[in-house]
Amino acid sequence: MPGQYLATIESNEDLGAGVCRLTILAPEIAAAGRPGQFVMLRSGRGLDPLLSRPFSLHQTMADGRMQVLFKVLGEGTRRLAALAAGASVAIVGPLGRGFALTPPPTGTRLGLIGGGIGVAPLLFLAREIQRLLPDGTALDVLLGARSKAELAPLLADFRALGLEPAVATDDGSLGHHGLVPELIDQQWGQEGSHCRVFCCGPWPMMAAVASRCRERGWACQVSLEAMMACGFSACLGCAVAGSGKRERYFHVCKDGPVFQAEDVNWG
Ligand SMILES: Cc1cc2nc3c(=O)[nH]c(=O)nc-3n(C[C@H](O)[C@H](O)[C@H](O)COP(=O)(O)OP(=O)(O)OC[C@H]3O[C@@H](n4cnc5c(N)ncnc54)[C@H](O)[C@@H]3O)c2cc1C
Ligand code: FES
């Protein structure tokens, strides 16, 4: 069950390229949260509920701390970026449906694919996959960003789990010079029905990943973003079109944010 808390900031790291990592003491959310779920967060200063913003759970720790990783875009994220250790934040969560983790058939590779700040939920997911799934489940991480500066600080976290992400950058400053969906062809080839993909990033990137997975018959889960005013299905502002096979519209906050790629109308 989600709860509403006034929580304390333990640290706020500036990772460069407009990306910050907030560590928050929120034991209930840290204990209950699953990869792919999110929180609604706003600076404890002021009373404006419209400044609550959704952020994926980036990491949870056994000692009651949790982290969000965010990119500064507008007023809500600017306020969060300005918070120092000891400040308070209003936080509601954990919210939504996260990634579904079931043991894959023997020989299946699992692929985590992140674009831009869409990398945020994938570290938690990688850790949970390593914890929950059988030893020997092959796990690959493919990450894309505009440039090296956006990605470099996050690579160490995956390496600490024994994972070496394959990387693509728009400007070629790190890894493959190009887009992250192209790494699918490079890393896993064209054939086989042996991959299960978990994806988070900008819409066009996820649409391209979903299309490649569909062609190959691979299962693909995507974490969608939408503008959210409430986060718990009260405002109906986060509707996205379904594929027609299931419902006509989904609400990202309640039915997602994680969906099977085939259930989404990619337009
Ligand atoms: C379920 C979910 C999980 C999310 N997880 C994360 C996360 O882990 N880290 C993170 O950095 N962000 C995440 N986001 C996006 C984040 O909520 C927005 O970046 C944030 O709300 C922007 O708030 P703001 O007040 O700073 O910007 P606003 O003032 O609301 O907007 C500033 C500008 O950015 C544009 N904008 C707002 N949101 C987005 C968006 N999602 N994509 C592209 N442009 C946008 C607006 O149209 C506007 O032009 C998530 C969103 C959802 C729905
Ligand atoms: S954000 Fe209000 S209904 Fe989804």
Side-chain angles (χ1 to χ4, degrees), residues 227-239 251-254:
M227 300 302 263
M228 286 188 182
C230 72
F232 46 83
S233 74
C235 72
L236 306 182
C238 63
H251 289 103
V252 173
C253 67
K254 173 172 73 78

Side-chain angles (χ1 to χ4, degrees), residues 5 34 40 53 58 96 104 111 117 119 148 159 178 181 184-185 215 225 236 243 254 260 266:
Y5 310 95
R34 310 303 313 142
M40 294 295 288
R53 297 288 188 259
H58 174 52
I117 199 65
V119 67
K148 178 180 177 179
R159 288 179 182 140
I184 294 179
D185 308 329
E215 286 163 11
E225 283 194 8
L236 306 182
S243 68
K254 173 172 73 78
Q260 297 296 332
W266 294 102

Side-chain angles (χ1 to χ4, degrees), residues 53-56 69-71 73-77 117 120 225-226 228:
R53 297 288 188 259
F55 299 97
S56 304
L69 182 79
F70 66 94
K71 188 156 181 82
L73 279 181
E75 183 58 19
T77 46
I117 199 65
E225 283 194 8
M228 286 188 182

Side-chain angles (χ1 to χ4, degrees), residues 41-253:
L41 196 60
R42 80 176 148 81
S43 152
R45 285 177 292 125
L47 297 171
D48 188 351
L50 293 178
L51 281 174
S52 279
R53 297 288 188 259
F55 299 97
S56 304
L57 292 172
H58 174 52
Q59 298 210 75
T60 62
M61 289 86 153
D63 63 6
R65 292 175 301 151
M66 53 151 285
Q67 292 182 322
V68 296
L69 182 79
F70 66 94
K71 188 156 181 82
V72 178
L73 279 181
E75 183 58 19
T77 46
R78 250 198 309 278
R79 288 194 186 197
L80 291 174
L83 293 175
S88 56
V89 278
I91 183 166
V92 179
L95 294 163
R97 291 187 196 195
F99 293 101
L101 282 184
T102 50
T106 312
T108 306
R109 300 192 76 78
L110 301 188
L112 311 192
I113 306 183
I117 199 65
V119 67
L122 299 187
L123 192 62
F124 187 13
L125 179 61
R127 238 186 43 217
E128 284 297 276
I129 286 173
Q130 290 184 331
R131 197 173 69 84
L132 295 175
L133 297 189
D135 276 356
T137 302
L139 176 59
D140 299 319
V141 182
L142 315 184
L143 301 179
R146 288 204 187 106
S147 68
K148 178 180 177 179
E150 275 186 22
L151 265 185
L154 304 168
L155 295 179
D157 295 320
F158 286 98
R159 288 179 182 140
L161 298 178
L163 299 166
E164 184 59 50
V167 169
T169 47
D170 295 356
D171 64 0
S173 52
L174 190 67
H176 169 67
H177 187 174
L179 302 174
V180 70
E182 293 158 13
L183 290 176
I184 294 179
D185 308 329
Q186 282 187 7
Q187 299 287 314
W188 302 322
Q190 297 287 340
E191 327 158 343
S193 54
H194 61 294
C195 279
R196 194 178 274 186
V197 168
F198 303 82
C199 181
C200 185
W203 183 275
M205 169 257 182
M206 289 199 289
V209 169
S211 157
R212 279 172 165 81
C213 290
R214 193 171 50 247
E215 286 163 11
R216 292 162 168 83
W218 296 346
C220 175
Q221 295 178 45
V222 290
S223 181
L224 298 189
E225 283 194 8
M227 300 302 263
M228 286 188 182
C230 72
F232 46 83
S233 74
C235 72
L236 306 182
C238 63
V240 291
S243 68
K245 277 193 243 156
R246 290 188 56 202
E247 296 170 42
R248 192 168 160 76
Y249 282 97
F250 293 112
H251 289 103
V252 173
C253 67

